Amino acid sequence: MAISTDSGYVLVTGGTGFIGSHTVLVLITQGFRVVVVDNLSNSCEEPLRRIEKLAGLSEPVPFHKVDLGDRDALRDVFRRYPIASVVHFAALKAVGESVQKPLAYYRNNVAGTLNLMDVMTEFAVRNIVFSSSATVYEAVYEGHPLRETNPLGCTSPYGRTKLYMENIIKDAVDAEAGWNAIMLRYFNPTGAHESGTMGEDPQQIPNNLMPYVSQVAIGKLESVHVFGTDYNTRDGTGVRDYIHVMDLAEAHVIALRRLAENNGYEIFNLGSGTGQTVLEMIHAMSEACGRVIPYTLDPRRPGDIDTILCDPQKATEVLGFTVRRDLKQMCADLWRWQQSNPNGYSS
Ligand code: NAD
Ligand code: WQD
């Protein structure tokens, strides 16, 4: 079925989470009809209220508290709405936790995706955009940014769930005509909506660099731990490719429109193509918030590598996607969100 703003609903799984909620906002502002499912295991409903305000909606965003493990509840949602396509964010995503609880990660992420694909098949919905990750690439840096054709290989159960889910979707596309699927491999998402009313709301002490830095900036945490100062990079700290969450959200809508062209199975990296070190990120955030962010120099974090950079050429050439927001804006927006919502959505 062609994807357009009037062709049916877009089901967004994990749509109350960080990237999902920003994508729901962009979808709605671009005229798509959206229905959100989420089990609220790592989020709350408040982002939907913020979306309604920002988009000037007079009605609530359709939302169903559904766990992807519950096939019947999922079926009910497909019965109630004429769904044309799915943007699938719902997953557990903490790398360290996945090492402690691998089975929970396989059950939630992989079995959840199988259920979703089954129900999509039952209801003849065969368009899916999937949240994948740069973590699926083999963790070595050979001096070149990563292309979609780079060798794959994961070092954590979380990463393997992403790779297995990609493969499950690929096999379904290969087995039956009519499926269209786009895998989006994100690099390091950060930032927040420019209004400062939506952003990332970690439920625990953040694992990722930028939410940690912003919680130090607001005084909730004492000091940033810089993991490793002896990497082969310009200042010895790790280099990553950070991408603004609103750029990422816009890329999903571009991908969704592309599904209508019936290209089967495609993979795109989403990053900027430029890298920043940990110290550069801390300094950029210090500038954005106008205060010195304290940090300590600590040993390497196990499993980390020097540099992970995106080659964004395919997304630019095929999707026409390039990032529009720079590091300064990422930090300014992140700080605006953190400052006006010191305790996230429960502020
Ligand atoms: P998030 O935790 O904020 O959002 C995920 C949402 O999915 C949450 O609201 C959670 O409650 C929901 N969820 C989890 N399991 C579910 C289930 N079984 N049924 C229904 N809902 C469920 O995470 P995010 O940062 O917005 O990430 C979104 C997606 O992007 C994830 O698939 C993640 O693996 C992927 N990704 C994230 C990053 C990142 O750094 N944030 C990088 C690459 C890929
Ligand atoms: C970035 C840099 C750290 C925290 C992870 C996942 C990946 C993907 C994105 C989902 C590294 C350093 C970090 C801190 C630090 N997620 N750092 N102090 O490791 O590139 O990727 O998130 O798919 O799968 O692995 O991101 O933000 O954790 O780290 O010095 O407190 O910051 O060593 O160099 P990473 P990150």
Side-chain angles (χ1 to χ4, degrees):
M1 191 189 299
I3 314 295
S4 70
T5 48
D6 55 11
S7 71
Y9 278 76
V10 180
L11 172 70
V12 182
T13 76
T16 51
F18 173 42
I19 306 167
S21 59
H22 288 77
T23 304
V24 168
L25 174 66
V26 176
L27 282 166
I28 289 174
T29 52
Q30 293 198 21
F32 286 89
R33 287 181 293 169
V34 170
V35 52
V36 171
V37 297
D38 200 298
N39 66 1
L40 304 181
S41 60
N42 198 36
S43 57
C44 61
E45 286 186 51
E46 181 59 20
L48 302 177
R49 307 292 84 82
R50 310 277 172 111
I51 291 169
E52 286 150 15
K53 242 187 181 162
L54 287 167
L57 301 182
S58 52
E59 290 180 356
V61 176
F63 170 72
H64 297 270
K65 186 177 174 204
V66 167
D67 187 302
L68 293 189
D70 186 345
R71 214 182 265 232
D72 287 335
L74 208 47
R75 278 196 189 103
D76 271 354
V77 175
F78 277 76
R79 261 186 223 112
R80 287 178 63 164
Y81 302 84
I83 291 167
S85 53
V86 175
V87 185
H88 178 29
F89 293 100
L92 297 174
K93 62 163 184 178
V95 174
E97 185 187 56
S98 79
V99 177
Q100 310 300 323
K101 302 179 186 169
L103 302 185
Y105 269 67
Y106 290 119
R107 189 176 312 109
N108 189 79
N109 294 1
V110 181
T113 299
L114 272 176
N115 275 343
L116 175 67
M117 297 287 289
D118 271 345
V119 176
M120 287 175 70
T121 305
E122 268 178 50
F123 286 79
V125 178
R126 293 194 181 80
N127 295 307
I128 183 166
V129 175
F130 176 66
S131 284
S132 191
S133 168
T135 198
V136 299
Y137 292 112
E138 209 171 69
V140 285
Y141 182 63
E142 289 166 334
H144 299 287
L146 293 163
R147 307 195 71 152
E148 290 79 355
T149 47
N150 266 70
L152 304 178
C154 302
T155 51
S156 74
Y158 163 71
R160 278 188 283 278
T161 69
K162 286 282 150 189
L163 199 49
Y164 296 161
M165 290 186 280
E166 282 195 2
N167 287 333
I168 287 167
I169 295 170
K170 168 97 173 57
D171 288 341
V173 171
D174 288 345
E176 195 188 354
W179 277 95
N180 293 297
I182 292 183
M183 310 295 105
L184 297 177
R185 291 179 180 159
Y186 321 149
F187 281 65
N188 292 62
T190 186
H193 186 263
E194 47 269 27
S195 63
T197 63
M198 292 176 62
E200 187 169 8
D201 183 15
Q203 308 292 298
Q204 280 136 16
I205 293 179
N207 299 306
N208 292 121
L209 177 66
M210 290 312 282
Y212 201 103
V213 170
S214 68
Q215 291 197 8
V216 173
I218 198 77
K220 284 179 77 178
L221 295 169
E222 214 169 288
S223 139
V224 181
H225 298 274
V226 176
F227 296 146
T229 53
D230 58 349
Y231 284 112
N232 183 21
T233 61
R234 29 184 194 273
D235 61 20
T237 66
V239 168
R240 296 291 183 273
D241 189 323
Y242 296 89
I243 176 168
H244 195 295
V245 65
M246 287 302 290
D247 280 326
L248 205 51
E250 287 166 7
H252 285 75
V253 183
I254 296 172
L256 194 60
R257 292 186 196 278
R258 180 162 173 88
L259 290 179
E261 294 168 16
N262 301 314
N263 290 300
Y265 180 87
E266 294 182 299
I267 301 170
F268 296 99
N269 284 342
L270 294 178
S272 70
T274 57
Q276 273 81 38
T277 69
V278 175
L279 291 178
E280 286 164 356
M281 294 305 285
I282 296 172
H283 294 142
M285 194 62 183
S286 292
E287 274 189 19
C289 66
R291 57 184 80 170
V292 175
I293 297 176
Y295 60 85
T296 56
L297 302 177
D298 287 9
R300 290 181 178 201
R301 182 172 66 178
D304 275 352
I305 64 168
D306 300 39
T307 299
I308 302 178
L309 274 182
C310 171
D311 182 337
Q313 192 183 351
K314 184 177 175 197
T316 304
E317 284 179 5
V318 179
L319 296 179
F321 170 76
T322 46
V323 298
R324 297 198 291 132
R325 298 161 179 89
D326 62 10
L327 176 62
K328 201 170 169 188
Q329 187 168 355
M330 276 182 230
C331 293
D333 292 341
L334 178 55
W335 177 238
R336 200 173 298 113
W337 155 252
Q338 183 69 73
Q339 200 179 23
S340 23
N341 302 270
N343 294 314
Y345 287 112
S346 53
S347 293

